[in-house]
Amino acid sequence: MEMWYTEKHTEHAGITLRVSRTLFSGKSPYQKLEIVETEEFGRMMLLDGLVMVTERDEFVYHDMITHPALFTHPNPRRVLVIGGGDGGTIREIVKHPQVEQAVLCEIDGLVIEKSIELLPSLACELQGNPKVKLHVDDGIAYIKKHTDSFDVILVDSTDPIGPAVGLFEEEFYRTVFAALKSDGIMVAQSESPFFHADIQKKMFSNLRAVFSIVEMYQASIPTYPSGAWSFAFCSKKYHPVEDFDRSRAAERPFETRYYNEDLHLGAFMLPTYVRQNLAIESA
Ligand code: SAM
């Protein structure tokens, strides 16, 4: 019997992946968590039926949520991840030799537990790395208790539904601003410019009310809605293109499969329809 998993991205479009077996299915107080084996994309995590990560294409997302910020900031020593319970973002952060502490604040302990058990290629740094600190807590509450604390904050959240709704609001961005040091950088996953233009309009308006530097950059992620994905780069001081030290990224002391020093610059060059949606004037 053939098993297929389908995620609807709109009423009339979606993605379907052939599934060979279910490795875990259960509910936490926050959401339904499933981890399945697919024929084409390796293991895949779903939260409330939505694709979070697959073993085959997660390298794109985790490279791109992490490295543009950590190669723009001159000395990223303390980094916070809000969400990110699969561990992929923490795995990329600790590759940077300047990082002294990588803190994860994930609301759902079941996501961490099952990622460690069933997604070891992502969660490999969540246990046993002295630089990594795990908190099971609501990022909205956690951030309020940590002012002037972090060089970089990465918001690796689910879509703006359920416990993640508040992670897209101006009030949360103000608390992130306060938690960042005077030259801090925040990056947040910012949905699909192709399917989520309205969410992005509101999100970037909220970000621009708080940060002086707000830029979008893109990456193509096959299993996310439309494949065209984006991130919001928000900064108190350093611009991701003008202040980018290309040679430092080119001489990085570790391998990356998606990010590189040229793509860093290219990712911030946006298509016309995206510029128009965000009311960005051409340079
Ligand atoms: N890469 C995925 C994406 O772009 O959709 C996100 C992956 S990660 C699994 C998302 C995590 O955010 C989930 O584990 C979820 O529990 C967590 N999360 C949602 N709201 C949160 C909150 N308020 N505080 C902390 N973690 C939260």
Side-chain angles (χ1 to χ4, degrees), residues 207-231:
L207 289 166
R208 286 173 179 146
V210 178
F211 288 90
S212 55
I213 298 171
V214 176
E215 299 290 345
M216 178 189 279
Y217 62 100
Q218 294 188 115
S220 53
I221 304 173
T223 54
Y224 281 6
S226 84
W229 209 250
S230 75
F231 301 86

Side-chain angles (χ1 to χ4, degrees), residues 75-129:
N75 191 17
R77 287 179 299 174
R78 293 198 75 229
V79 183
L80 169 65
V81 178
I82 292 177
D86 53 74
T89 302
I90 288 286
R91 179 195 68 204
E92 293 307 311
I93 291 167
V94 298
K95 289 179 179 175
H96 289 255
Q98 302 95 324
V99 171
E100 295 164 7
Q101 194 171 65
V103 180
L104 180 82
C105 179
E106 161 61 59
I107 199 167
D108 191 341
L110 185 64
V111 172
I112 296 174
E113 178 197 332
K114 291 301 169 188
S115 296
I116 290 170
E117 180 191 337
L118 298 170
L119 295 170
S121 65
L122 284 98
C124 48
E125 297 294 346
L126 292 186
Q127 286 184 313
N129 186 325

Side-chain angles (χ1 to χ4, degrees), residues 36-61:
V36 299
E37 192 82 63
T38 70
E39 295 290 351
E40 192 82 39
F41 279 82
R43 291 185 175 185
M44 173 167 71
M45 178 196 291
L46 308 164
L47 288 178
D48 286 341
L50 302 178
V51 176
M52 290 293 119
V53 292
T54 78
E55 286 179 318
R56 184 170 174 191
D57 69 356
E58 58 86 6
F59 72 96
V60 180
Y61 177 91

Side-chain angles (χ1 to χ4, degrees), residues 52 138 158 163 174:
M52 290 293 119
D138 183 341
T158 37
R174 290 198 182 286

